Amino acid sequence: MSEGFPEAEEIARWLRAQLARQMKISEAAIEPTRPMAYYGLDSMAGLTLVVELESYLGRPIEETVLWDHPTIESLSRYLASETPREATGTGGEK
């Protein structure tokens, strides 16, 4: 973990566990490269996941992030590469 922020692999594990819990399926059944909607994630469950993700990461997340990055693999890479400042939309300002 760099600078106290989770890496993509750690975020992917967390997302897989949360998706499995929400969709009531085995974590082993979830493939990180398959769209989360394939497993039944709809807009309501997606919003719940975003709220939980904000709590896990300790920063605001755009509500559309699950649709912009529909797989666990793409979402975890995106979130790991994004700094908290970028996530909140304040750019490079200090």
Side-chain angles (χ1 to χ4, degrees), residues 14 48-61:
W14 183 90
T48 299
L49 186 60
V50 168
V51 168
E52 292 172 350
L53 192 53
E54 287 179 329
S55 178
Y56 170 66
L57 295 174
R59 66 181 194 240
I61 304 294

Short mmCIF file of all heavy atoms in Angstrom, two decimals, residues 14 48-61:
data_model
loop_
_atom_site.label_atom_id
_atom_site.label_comp_id
_atom_site.label_asym_id
_atom_site.label_seq_id
_atom_site.Cartn_x
_atom_site.Cartn_y
_atom_site.Cartn_z
N TRP A 14 -11.48 -6.60 -1.99
CA TRP A 14 -12.58 -6.02 -1.22
C TRP A 14 -13.86 -5.99 -2.07
O TRP A 14 -14.93 -6.36 -1.61
CB TRP A 14 -12.21 -4.61 -0.75
CG TRP A 14 -13.25 -3.98 0.12
CD1 TRP A 14 -13.34 -4.06 1.47
CD2 TRP A 14 -14.37 -3.19 -0.32
NE1 TRP A 14 -14.45 -3.36 1.90
CE2 TRP A 14 -15.09 -2.83 0.83
CE3 TRP A 14 -14.82 -2.77 -1.57
CZ2 TRP A 14 -16.25 -2.06 0.76
CZ3 TRP A 14 -15.97 -2.00 -1.63
CH2 TRP A 14 -16.68 -1.65 -0.48
N THR A 48 -25.43 1.30 -3.29
CA THR A 48 -25.03 0.78 -1.98
C THR A 48 -23.55 0.44 -1.98
O THR A 48 -22.82 0.78 -1.04
CB THR A 48 -25.86 -0.48 -1.63
OG1 THR A 48 -27.24 -0.12 -1.57
CG2 THR A 48 -25.44 -1.08 -0.29
N LEU A 49 -23.09 -0.18 -3.06
CA LEU A 49 -21.68 -0.54 -3.18
C LEU A 49 -20.80 0.70 -3.21
O LEU A 49 -19.74 0.73 -2.57
CB LEU A 49 -21.46 -1.40 -4.43
CG LEU A 49 -20.05 -1.97 -4.61
CD1 LEU A 49 -19.68 -2.88 -3.44
CD2 LEU A 49 -19.97 -2.74 -5.92
N VAL A 50 -21.23 1.75 -3.89
CA VAL A 50 -20.45 3.00 -3.95
C VAL A 50 -20.34 3.62 -2.55
O VAL A 50 -19.26 4.06 -2.16
CB VAL A 50 -21.06 4.00 -4.96
CG1 VAL A 50 -20.44 5.39 -4.80
CG2 VAL A 50 -20.86 3.50 -6.38
N VAL A 51 -21.44 3.61 -1.79
CA VAL A 51 -21.42 4.16 -0.43
C VAL A 51 -20.44 3.36 0.44
O VAL A 51 -19.64 3.93 1.19
CB VAL A 51 -22.84 4.17 0.18
CG1 VAL A 51 -22.79 4.46 1.68
CG2 VAL A 51 -23.71 5.18 -0.53
N GLU A 52 -20.48 2.04 0.32
CA GLU A 52 -19.56 1.19 1.08
C GLU A 52 -18.11 1.42 0.63
O GLU A 52 -17.20 1.41 1.45
CB GLU A 52 -19.95 -0.28 0.94
CG GLU A 52 -21.27 -0.60 1.61
CD GLU A 52 -21.77 -2.01 1.31
OE1 GLU A 52 -21.21 -2.69 0.44
OE2 GLU A 52 -22.74 -2.42 1.98
N LEU A 53 -17.93 1.62 -0.65
CA LEU A 53 -16.61 1.88 -1.21
C LEU A 53 -16.05 3.21 -0.69
O LEU A 53 -14.87 3.30 -0.34
CB LEU A 53 -16.71 1.90 -2.74
CG LEU A 53 -15.45 1.88 -3.57
CD1 LEU A 53 -14.54 0.73 -3.19
CD2 LEU A 53 -15.81 1.79 -5.04
N GLU A 54 -16.90 4.21 -0.60
CA GLU A 54 -16.47 5.51 -0.04
C GLU A 54 -15.99 5.33 1.40
O GLU A 54 -14.97 5.89 1.79
CB GLU A 54 -17.63 6.51 -0.08
CG GLU A 54 -17.93 7.03 -1.46
CD GLU A 54 -19.10 8.00 -1.47
OE1 GLU A 54 -20.02 7.89 -0.65
OE2 GLU A 54 -19.06 8.91 -2.33
N SER A 55 -16.72 4.54 2.16
CA SER A 55 -16.35 4.29 3.55
C SER A 55 -15.04 3.52 3.62
O SER A 55 -14.15 3.86 4.41
CB SER A 55 -17.47 3.51 4.24
OG SER A 55 -17.13 3.22 5.56
N TYR A 56 -14.90 2.51 2.78
CA TYR A 56 -13.68 1.70 2.75
C TYR A 56 -12.45 2.54 2.37
O TYR A 56 -11.40 2.43 2.99
CB TYR A 56 -13.87 0.55 1.76
CG TYR A 56 -12.61 -0.23 1.44
CD1 TYR A 56 -11.98 -1.00 2.41
CD2 TYR A 56 -12.07 -0.21 0.16
CE1 TYR A 56 -10.83 -1.72 2.12
CE2 TYR A 56 -10.91 -0.92 -0.14
CZ TYR A 56 -10.30 -1.68 0.84
OH TYR A 56 -9.17 -2.39 0.54
N LEU A 57 -12.59 3.37 1.35
CA LEU A 57 -11.47 4.17 0.88
C LEU A 57 -11.29 5.48 1.65
O LEU A 57 -10.26 6.12 1.56
CB LEU A 57 -11.64 4.49 -0.61
CG LEU A 57 -11.58 3.28 -1.54
CD1 LEU A 57 -11.91 3.69 -2.97
CD2 LEU A 57 -10.23 2.58 -1.47
N GLY A 58 -12.33 5.91 2.35
CA GLY A 58 -12.25 7.14 3.12
C GLY A 58 -12.26 8.39 2.27
O GLY A 58 -11.65 9.40 2.63
N ARG A 59 -12.93 8.32 1.13
CA ARG A 59 -13.02 9.48 0.23
C ARG A 59 -14.27 9.36 -0.62
O ARG A 59 -14.78 8.27 -0.83
CB ARG A 59 -11.78 9.58 -0.64
CG ARG A 59 -11.63 8.45 -1.63
CD ARG A 59 -10.36 8.63 -2.44
NE ARG A 59 -10.35 7.78 -3.59
CZ ARG A 59 -9.43 6.85 -3.84
NH1 ARG A 59 -8.45 6.65 -2.97
NH2 ARG A 59 -9.47 6.13 -4.93
N PRO A 60 -14.77 10.50 -1.13
CA PRO A 60 -15.95 10.45 -2.00
C PRO A 60 -15.63 9.77 -3.33
O PRO A 60 -14.51 9.88 -3.84
CB PRO A 60 -16.31 11.92 -2.23
CG PRO A 60 -15.31 12.74 -1.52
CD PRO A 60 -14.29 11.85 -0.90
N ILE A 61 -16.62 9.08 -3.86
CA ILE A 61 -16.50 8.40 -5.14
C ILE A 61 -17.67 8.84 -6.01
O ILE A 61 -18.80 8.93 -5.52
CB ILE A 61 -16.57 6.85 -4.96
CG1 ILE A 61 -15.50 6.36 -3.98
CG2 ILE A 61 -16.49 6.13 -6.29
CD1 ILE A 61 -14.09 6.51 -4.44
#
